[in-house]
Amino acid sequence: MQSFWRSSIVRRLKHLRHLSHRVRIERNYDDAIAALNTLQTNFATNALIRESRRAANEQAIPEMIEWLRRVGYQPSDLNRLNPIHVAGTKGKGSTCAFISSILSQYLSSATSNLARSPFPQRPPISKIGLYTSPHLRSVRERIQINNAPLSEPLFTQYFFEVWDRLETSAAREGHAGGKPSYFRFLTLTAFHAYLREGVDTAIIEVGIGGEHDSTNVIERPTVVGITSLAIDHQLTLGDTIEEITWHKAGIMKPGSPAFTVPQLDRAMSVLKQRAKERNADLTIVGCHPELKSIRLGLDADYQKDNASLAIAIAAAHLRKLSSNTPNTTHLPPEFKRGLQLVRWSGRCEIRREDAIDWYIDGGHTLESIEVAGTWFASKLPNAHRGKRILLFNQQTRDASTLATTLYKTLASALSDPTPFTHAIFCTNVTFTSHGYPPELFSINYITESPDIETLSVQRRLANTWKGLDPSAQISVVRTIEDAVALVRTIATEEQEQVACLVTGSVHLVGGFLEVLETQTQD
C-alpha cells in the first residue's frame, strides 16, 4: 500500500496536470503555478543529462535558442537588457544581490537627498532586473525588478504570454505542442518580462554550470563574473575541478570583461585558458580594503569576497554605460550604501523570536557548509550558555559527509566537542498535514523517492551524528513543521535564549521560512 506521502504527491500532480488544460480560461496566479508544475522538473532534466552521459548538454543552447524564437525573440534581443552574467559554485546568488543593491543606488528614482558621487551625468539605469535560482518560498523571487519580486498579476501576465506564444507557434508550425523544462520556461519568462518592462540592466545568475546553461544564450554581456569554484553537480558537469571550471567559464564572451576571485591553481589555470580562447580580459579580484570598515548587509566574513567581486562587476558595468564612472579605489557613497543595504533571504540570516535565535544559511556543499558553521560560531554571543540546536537536512548529496564537515568546523570554532546539545534531522517536506505548498512542489519533486517514506537519509544522519557526539540529544522527524515545533518545545524548557542553526539545503531553508512566515500570518 502506498504511504500517505507518496499518494498525496501523486494526487497533487494529477490535479496540477488537470488544471494545466484550462489555463487559457483561468488566467490567475494559482493556475500559472499549477501549469508551471506540470513542466519537466530540474531533477528530471539532470537525470536525462546523466543518462545520456552528458551528451544532452550539447543540444542545450540550440534548443534554448529555438524556444526563444518560438516566443518571438532572438538572442541579440537580449542585448537591450545590458546583461551582467554570473556563474560559480559558491556565492553567485549573494554576489548578484550585492551587484543589484549597488546599482540600485544609481537609479533615477533613488532618494535625492542621499549622499551621491559628483557625477555631471548619472549612469542611464532606470530598471534593474535580477534573475536567480532557486527560489525559497515563491517562484516570483527568481524574477525581480528593482529588488522586488514581480507582482502576482505581472507574473501571471508574462507567464501566460510565453505559454500562449509557444502554443501558437506549435499550432502554426505543425510541431508537437510541448513546453520547455521548468528552469528553461522561467528563464524565458524572465527575459520576456524584462524586455516588456523596459529593464536596462539585468543581472542573470547561471542555473547549473555555464557553457550549456539556459541563460547562456546571452551574446553580449556588459561584464561576466565567476565566483568561488568547487566540486558540485559532478554528474552533470564532471568529477574534477578542471572539468567544472571549464563549464563555469563558458559564459565568457569576446570583448566582455570577466572578473573572478582567487581560485585553486588548477581552476585558475582553466579560467585563464578559457579567457584566452574567448578573447575575454580576465581580472582576479582581491578583497577590497575598505570592507574592513563596512558592515555588509550580508554580515559574514566569507561574504567579503562576494562583495569585492560585486564591486568590480558593478564598476565595470557602469563604465560600459557611461563615461562618468566611479573610481572604486575609494568606494563612492552609492557603493557603500548598496553593500550595507543588501538583503538576501536564507543566506547568513538571523531571525529572532521569544526564546529562540534562528541562524539560517542554505549552505549545501562541503565548502559552503564549512563557512556556514564558521559564520554561526562567529555570531553566537560570547556569554551564550543556552542550548544550541542543529536543524539539518540534505536529501540528494552526501549528507553524512556534509554533517561531519559541519561538526568538525564547529567543534573547532567553539572549542567544544559538543557543538550542539540537540540535533534534529528532518525531510524537506514542509507541513505535517498537507505536504508542500504549490510553489515548493516541483523543486522538491525528488520527494517521490521512497527515502522520504522511510526517513532513511535522516536515520543515517542521526547515526553519523551519534558517532561524532554521543552526548547530543538526537531526533528524527518527518517534516520541517515538526522540527520547528520540537525546537520550540526545547526552548520552553530553558531559562536562556536558545540558538538554532538551520542549514544543509536551500530547499530546507525555503520550507523552514515558509513554516515561520505562515505561522506568523496565522
Side-chain angles (χ1 to χ4, degrees):
M1 180 181 292
Q2 291 181 324
S3 73
F4 168 79
W5 298 108
R6 187 179 182 88
S7 61
S8 66
I9 289 169
V10 172
R11 286 196 303 272
R12 184 184 294 270
L13 184 58
K14 288 180 178 178
H15 176 61
L16 293 171
R17 284 175 175 159
H18 170 70
L19 285 177
S20 72
H21 293 299
R22 53 189 181 94
V23 293
R24 285 182 178 271
I25 300 172
E26 297 291 344
R27 300 300 184 190
N28 62 45
Y29 182 70
D30 289 342
D31 281 322
I33 298 304
L36 178 64
N37 283 337
T38 67
L39 302 179
Q40 183 183 71
T41 66
N42 296 337
F43 293 111
T45 300
N46 292 336
L48 288 174
I49 293 172
R50 291 193 295 269
E51 290 169 6
S52 70
R53 298 187 177 182
R54 304 178 197 140
N57 272 335
E58 302 298 327
Q59 297 304 312
I61 298 303
E63 289 173 358
M64 188 62 182
I65 291 173
E66 174 62 12
W67 289 121
L68 261 180
R69 184 193 67 78
R70 294 184 188 182
V71 177
Y73 299 113
Q74 298 295 325
S76 59
D77 292 321
L78 304 179
N79 297 337
R80 305 205 309 264
L81 301 178
N82 293 314
I84 297 169
H85 209 183
V86 180
T89 307
K90 300 181 296 178
K92 61 183 188 290
S94 297
T95 300
C96 288
F98 276 121
I99 297 168
S100 183
S101 186
I102 291 170
L103 295 179
S104 293
Q105 310 310 312
Y106 291 90
L107 288 168
S108 57
S109 59
T111 305
S112 59
N113 62 353
L114 293 176
R116 284 185 163 188
S117 301
F119 288 168
Q121 180 181 355
R122 307 300 299 169
I125 303 176
S126 61
K127 286 187 178 181
I128 297 172
L130 175 61
Y131 179 61
T132 60
S133 61
H135 61 274
L136 294 179
R137 298 184 61 219
S138 169
V139 69
R140 295 179 296 108
E141 298 165 20
R142 298 179 183 232
I143 307 175
Q144 299 191 25
I145 295 179
N146 292 348
N147 296 314
L150 281 186
S151 67
E152 289 188 3
L154 277 181
F155 180 90
T156 302
Q157 174 187 335
Y158 294 132
F159 178 93
F160 282 122
E161 286 178 358
V162 171
W163 187 278
D164 290 347
R165 288 185 184 191
L166 291 173
E167 294 205 337
T168 299
S169 170
R172 181 178 63 245
E173 299 175 15
H175 51 68
K179 301 293 188 302
S181 64
Y182 189 97
F183 182 76
R184 285 183 180 181
F185 194 97
L186 286 175
T187 303
L188 290 170
T189 302
F191 288 154
H192 176 60
Y194 292 159
L195 289 166
R196 287 288 304 276
E197 286 290 312
V199 164
D200 47 19
T201 286
I203 303 150
I204 308 296
E205 179 193 7
V206 166
I208 294 178
E211 176 76 20
H212 304 301
D213 187 72
S214 301
T215 64
N216 206 27
V217 291
I218 294 170
E219 293 182 333
R220 287 170 48 195
T222 62
V223 58
V224 163
I226 299 177
T227 66
S228 182
L229 299 173
I231 301 292
D232 197 20
H233 297 294
Q234 296 97 307
L235 294 175
T236 305
L237 304 179
D239 296 321
T240 68
I241 191 66
E242 290 89 348
E243 290 177 293
I244 290 168
T245 303
W246 184 91
H247 279 276
K248 306 288 185 180
I251 66 169
M252 293 182 186
K253 300 295 190 305
S256 297
F259 295 87
T260 191
V261 295
Q263 308 280 1
L264 293 173
D265 289 343
R266 291 178 296 153
M268 189 61 74
S269 177
V270 176
L271 286 177
K272 290 179 178 178
Q273 180 60 36
R274 291 281 269 164
K276 182 178 179 181
E277 294 169 356
R278 295 296 180 96
N279 193 27
D281 183 18
L282 177 65
T283 300
I284 302 168
V285 179
C287 186
H288 197 288
E290 289 191 35
L291 295 184
K292 296 177 181 177
S293 58
I294 296 175
R295 182 166 184 175
L296 299 175
L298 302 179
D299 189 15
D301 283 343
Y302 74 86
Q303 291 287 1
K304 290 179 181 177
D305 285 341
N306 299 328
S308 299
L309 182 60
I311 290 168
I313 292 171
H317 180 73
L318 292 172
R319 282 194 292 272
K320 279 291 185 79
L321 300 186
S322 171
S323 60
N324 300 305
T325 55
N327 180 344
T328 55
T329 302
H330 299 291
L331 293 177
E334 293 90 345
F335 276 65
K336 292 180 179 179
R337 192 161 55 245
L339 294 169
Q340 292 166 335
L341 295 178
V342 66
R343 296 293 181 267
W344 198 235
S345 185
R347 283 78 167 180
C348 49
E349 180 179 3
I350 302 174
R351 296 196 178 196
R352 305 187 192 279
E353 62 180 68
D354 290 345
I356 306 172
D357 293 334
W358 301 102
Y359 296 81
I360 310 158
D361 192 279
H364 54 277
T365 66
L366 287 174
E367 292 80 6
S368 61
I369 206 74
E370 184 175 347
V371 296
T374 302
W375 165 75
F376 173 66
S378 73
K379 294 303 174 186
L380 283 176
N382 292 332
H384 180 82
R385 292 292 182 270
K387 303 293 184 184
R388 295 192 295 261
I389 304 171
L390 172 65
L391 199 169
F392 186 93
N393 189 44
Q394 174 47 247
Q395 203 65 38
T396 60
R397 291 173 170 83
D398 187 346
S400 292
T401 300
L402 288 178
T404 300
T405 298
L406 180 63
Y407 170 82
K408 291 179 178 178
T409 299
L410 279 168
S412 173
L414 297 172
S415 300
D416 189 344
T418 300
F420 296 103
T421 54
H422 297 72
I424 303 170
F425 302 102
C426 66
T427 70
N428 290 338
V429 177
T430 314
F431 294 108
T432 305
S433 62
H434 55 280
Y436 301 103
E439 295 191 65
L440 298 184
F441 178 73
S442 282
I443 62 174
N444 284 290
Y445 189 64
I446 195 170
T447 52
E448 202 175 11
S449 163
D451 285 345
I452 299 298
E453 297 179 20
T454 62
L455 301 178
S456 59
V457 172
Q458 289 67 41
R459 297 188 194 283
R460 286 196 299 271
L461 281 166
N463 289 334
T464 296
W465 202 269
K466 196 68 175 177
L468 294 167
D469 182 8
S471 66
Q473 296 185 41
I474 298 173
S475 303
V476 170
V477 297
R478 188 168 295 278
T479 71
I480 299 170
E481 185 179 30
D482 292 335
V484 170
L486 180 54
V487 173
R488 287 173 171 155
T489 296
I490 295 168
T492 59
E493 301 170 354
E494 297 302 309
Q495 299 299 313
E496 296 180 296
Q497 199 79 355
V498 165
C500 180
L501 173 63
V502 183
T503 193
S505 165
V506 174
H507 303 311
L508 169 69
V509 164
F512 168 80
L513 293 173
E514 179 69 16
V515 169
L516 254 58
E517 295 291 342
T518 301
Q519 292 177 346
T520 299
Q521 292 169 5
D522 293 343

Short mmCIF file of all heavy atoms in Angstrom, two decimals, residues 91 94 296 298-307 347-348 361-362 368 371-372 374-375:
data_model
loop_
_atom_site.label_atom_id
_atom_site.label_comp_id
_atom_site.label_asym_id
_atom_site.label_seq_id
_atom_site.Cartn_x
_atom_site.Cartn_y
_atom_site.Cartn_z
N GLY A 91 28.35 31.31 -3.70
CA GLY A 91 28.20 32.75 -3.57
C GLY A 91 27.71 33.50 -4.78
O GLY A 91 27.67 34.74 -4.77
N SER A 94 24.51 35.51 -3.80
CA SER A 94 24.86 36.64 -2.94
C SER A 94 25.57 37.72 -3.75
O SER A 94 25.31 38.92 -3.56
CB SER A 94 25.76 36.17 -1.80
OG SER A 94 25.09 35.24 -0.96
N LEU A 296 28.52 44.81 6.14
CA LEU A 296 27.76 44.36 4.99
C LEU A 296 26.34 43.97 5.40
O LEU A 296 26.11 43.46 6.50
CB LEU A 296 28.44 43.16 4.34
CG LEU A 296 29.86 43.39 3.80
CD1 LEU A 296 30.44 42.08 3.30
CD2 LEU A 296 29.86 44.44 2.70
N LEU A 298 24.88 41.49 4.22
CA LEU A 298 25.08 40.06 4.45
C LEU A 298 26.31 39.95 5.33
O LEU A 298 27.45 39.92 4.85
CB LEU A 298 25.26 39.31 3.12
CG LEU A 298 24.10 39.45 2.13
CD1 LEU A 298 24.41 38.70 0.84
CD2 LEU A 298 22.80 38.95 2.73
N ASP A 299 26.08 39.91 6.63
CA ASP A 299 27.14 40.14 7.61
C ASP A 299 27.86 38.84 7.96
O ASP A 299 27.55 38.18 8.95
CB ASP A 299 26.54 40.79 8.87
CG ASP A 299 27.62 41.25 9.84
OD1 ASP A 299 28.78 41.33 9.43
OD2 ASP A 299 27.29 41.52 11.01
N ALA A 300 28.81 38.48 7.12
CA ALA A 300 29.65 37.31 7.37
C ALA A 300 31.00 37.55 6.70
O ALA A 300 31.07 38.16 5.63
CB ALA A 300 29.00 36.05 6.81
N ASP A 301 32.07 37.07 7.32
CA ASP A 301 33.40 37.30 6.76
C ASP A 301 33.52 36.76 5.34
O ASP A 301 34.14 37.39 4.48
CB ASP A 301 34.46 36.65 7.66
CG ASP A 301 34.73 37.46 8.92
OD1 ASP A 301 34.36 38.65 8.95
OD2 ASP A 301 35.32 36.90 9.87
N TYR A 302 32.92 35.59 5.09
CA TYR A 302 33.08 34.99 3.77
C TYR A 302 32.38 35.79 2.68
O TYR A 302 32.69 35.65 1.49
CB TYR A 302 32.59 33.54 3.77
CG TYR A 302 31.10 33.33 3.80
CD1 TYR A 302 30.34 33.33 2.63
CD2 TYR A 302 30.42 33.12 5.00
CE1 TYR A 302 28.97 33.13 2.66
CE2 TYR A 302 29.06 32.91 5.04
CZ TYR A 302 28.34 32.92 3.86
OH TYR A 302 26.98 32.71 3.89
N GLN A 303 31.44 36.67 3.07
CA GLN A 303 30.75 37.48 2.08
C GLN A 303 31.62 38.62 1.55
O GLN A 303 31.28 39.25 0.54
CB GLN A 303 29.46 38.06 2.66
CG GLN A 303 28.37 37.04 2.94
CD GLN A 303 27.70 36.53 1.66
OE1 GLN A 303 28.07 36.92 0.56
NE2 GLN A 303 26.74 35.65 1.82
N LYS A 304 32.77 38.86 2.18
CA LYS A 304 33.64 39.95 1.71
C LYS A 304 34.21 39.65 0.33
O LYS A 304 34.39 40.57 -0.48
CB LYS A 304 34.75 40.20 2.72
CG LYS A 304 34.25 40.82 4.02
CD LYS A 304 35.36 41.04 5.03
CE LYS A 304 34.80 41.64 6.32
NZ LYS A 304 35.85 41.82 7.35
N ASP A 305 34.48 38.37 0.04
CA ASP A 305 34.95 38.02 -1.30
C ASP A 305 33.84 38.28 -2.33
O ASP A 305 34.10 38.81 -3.42
CB ASP A 305 35.36 36.55 -1.36
CG ASP A 305 36.70 36.29 -0.69
OD1 ASP A 305 37.46 37.26 -0.51
OD2 ASP A 305 36.97 35.13 -0.34
N ASN A 306 32.60 37.89 -1.99
CA ASN A 306 31.49 38.14 -2.89
C ASN A 306 31.25 39.63 -3.09
O ASN A 306 30.99 40.09 -4.20
CB ASN A 306 30.21 37.48 -2.36
CG ASN A 306 30.34 35.97 -2.22
OD1 ASN A 306 31.04 35.33 -3.00
ND2 ASN A 306 29.66 35.40 -1.25
N ALA A 307 31.35 40.39 -2.01
CA ALA A 307 31.15 41.84 -2.09
C ALA A 307 32.25 42.49 -2.94
O ALA A 307 31.97 43.40 -3.74
CB ALA A 307 31.13 42.45 -0.69
N ARG A 347 20.47 33.39 3.48
CA ARG A 347 21.93 33.37 3.49
C ARG A 347 22.42 34.19 4.67
O ARG A 347 22.10 35.36 4.79
CB ARG A 347 22.52 33.94 2.19
CG ARG A 347 22.45 32.99 1.00
CD ARG A 347 21.09 32.95 0.40
NE ARG A 347 21.06 32.29 -0.91
CZ ARG A 347 19.95 32.15 -1.63
NH1 ARG A 347 18.79 32.60 -1.17
NH2 ARG A 347 19.99 31.55 -2.80
N CYS A 348 23.16 33.56 5.53
CA CYS A 348 23.66 34.19 6.78
C CYS A 348 22.62 35.16 7.34
O CYS A 348 22.88 36.33 7.58
CB CYS A 348 25.00 34.87 6.58
SG CYS A 348 25.19 35.96 5.17
N ASP A 361 21.16 29.50 7.06
CA ASP A 361 22.06 29.57 5.91
C ASP A 361 21.87 28.32 5.06
O ASP A 361 21.94 27.20 5.57
CB ASP A 361 23.52 29.71 6.33
CG ASP A 361 24.41 30.08 5.15
OD1 ASP A 361 24.79 29.18 4.37
OD2 ASP A 361 24.71 31.27 4.98
N GLY A 362 21.66 28.53 3.76
CA GLY A 362 21.38 27.41 2.86
C GLY A 362 22.61 26.68 2.35
O GLY A 362 22.55 26.06 1.28
N SER A 368 30.62 25.37 1.43
CA SER A 368 29.63 26.31 1.96
C SER A 368 29.11 25.90 3.33
O SER A 368 28.75 26.75 4.14
CB SER A 368 28.46 26.46 0.98
OG SER A 368 27.80 25.24 0.76
N VAL A 371 31.72 27.26 5.79
CA VAL A 371 31.63 28.69 6.07
C VAL A 371 30.34 29.01 6.83
O VAL A 371 30.32 29.95 7.63
CB VAL A 371 31.73 29.53 4.79
CG1 VAL A 371 33.09 29.37 4.15
CG2 VAL A 371 30.64 29.21 3.79
N ALA A 372 29.28 28.23 6.61
CA ALA A 372 28.06 28.43 7.39
C ALA A 372 28.32 28.15 8.87
O ALA A 372 27.86 28.90 9.75
CB ALA A 372 26.93 27.53 6.87
N THR A 374 31.24 28.33 10.40
CA THR A 374 32.12 29.38 10.91
C THR A 374 31.32 30.65 11.19
O THR A 374 31.54 31.33 12.20
CB THR A 374 33.23 29.66 9.89
OG1 THR A 374 33.97 28.45 9.64
CG2 THR A 374 34.19 30.73 10.40
N TRP A 375 30.40 30.98 10.28
CA TRP A 375 29.54 32.16 10.49
C TRP A 375 28.71 32.01 11.75
O TRP A 375 28.61 32.93 12.57
CB TRP A 375 28.64 32.35 9.27
CG TRP A 375 27.50 33.29 9.51
CD1 TRP A 375 27.54 34.64 9.59
CD2 TRP A 375 26.12 32.92 9.71
NE1 TRP A 375 26.28 35.15 9.83
CE2 TRP A 375 25.39 34.12 9.90
CE3 TRP A 375 25.44 31.70 9.72
CZ2 TRP A 375 24.02 34.11 10.13
CZ3 TRP A 375 24.07 31.71 9.93
CH2 TRP A 375 23.38 32.90 10.13
#
